[in-house]
Amino acid sequence: MDIKDAVLNVMGTSFFGNLVTLIVGLFGMAGVVYTVKKSQKSAFTSAYFSQKLSAYSDFIQCIERYLWHPDKEATDDLAASLYCLRLFAPDALFNEAQVLYEYAHMGADGEPLAWGSVQSKVDDLSQKMLADIRKEQEENLHPFKSKLNRVLEK
């Protein structure tokens, strides 16, 4: 009796052998589906994070340019960047950006603004944006840890 015959005798020729093959195949397919799902999520997260970072950066650049040169092009760019910011920013951060936008328009319409107060508002907003980016980056690097923290906070 050789090894092949011994294996066939232990496993059985049809039912048990087919069952083992089916189970191994199902585990293999589950592994493939899991890997594809993870890679799709990773690609989406990367694209979302990149767009969010770009929206934050564009808004800060546009508000700075608008404060120095409040022409029509700067006004249009600032309005477009505020719209893009709305797509990605949390509500509290967006509301603060909108207040800054309206505050900057007051100065452009003829009322003088104290440059220091405007710059401090822009700096404060950019620090909050940076904190939001770091928080999201932490959540994406350690998803279980961040979910656990959210549950514990409640």
Side-chain angles (χ1 to χ4, degrees):
M1 179 183 270
D2 62 345
I3 294 178
K4 181 180 174 186
D5 291 335
V7 170
L8 288 177
N9 284 337
V10 170
M11 290 178 40
T13 52
S14 62
F15 178 72
F16 190 67
N18 290 338
L19 184 63
V20 169
T21 304
L22 179 67
I23 291 171
V24 169
L26 288 176
F27 277 117
M29 286 299 293
V32 167
V33 168
Y34 177 76
T35 303
V36 168
K37 202 76 160 148
K38 275 299 222 185
S39 67
Q40 286 176 343
K41 183 182 179 202
S42 177
F44 172 76
T45 302
S46 176
Y48 177 82
F49 188 74
S50 174
Q51 290 294 321
K52 184 175 186 170
L53 193 58
S54 177
Y56 284 3
S57 175
D58 287 348
F59 181 78
I60 294 297
Q61 288 176 356
C62 287
I63 194 87
E64 291 281 347
R65 191 177 71 186
Y66 179 79
L67 290 171
W68 283 101
H69 304 287
D71 58 1
K72 177 154 176 36
E73 183 181 349
T75 304
D76 293 344
D77 289 346
L78 181 59
S81 69
L82 185 66
Y83 172 75
C84 288
L85 186 67
R86 179 67 198 128
L87 297 174
F88 298 101
D91 290 338
L93 196 61
F94 173 73
N95 290 338
E96 191 168 333
Q98 193 169 18
V99 167
L100 181 60
Y101 172 80
E102 292 167 1
Y103 187 71
H105 267 296
M106 284 179 14
D109 291 338
E111 296 178 25
L113 292 175
W115 178 249
S117 69
V118 174
Q119 190 60 45
S120 68
K121 289 178 186 292
V122 171
D123 290 344
D124 186 44
L125 181 63
S126 65
Q127 290 301 317
K128 289 179 181 177
M129 288 177 172
L130 182 62
D132 182 53
I133 290 291
R134 286 185 177 152
K135 177 182 158 204
E136 186 159 330
Q137 193 175 31
E138 179 70 23
E139 287 177 0
N140 288 331
L141 289 176
H142 306 290
F144 177 74
K145 180 180 170 186
S146 61
K147 286 179 185 175
L148 181 63
N149 287 339
R150 283 193 297 250
V151 168
L152 293 175
E153 288 174 357
K154 292 180 181 181

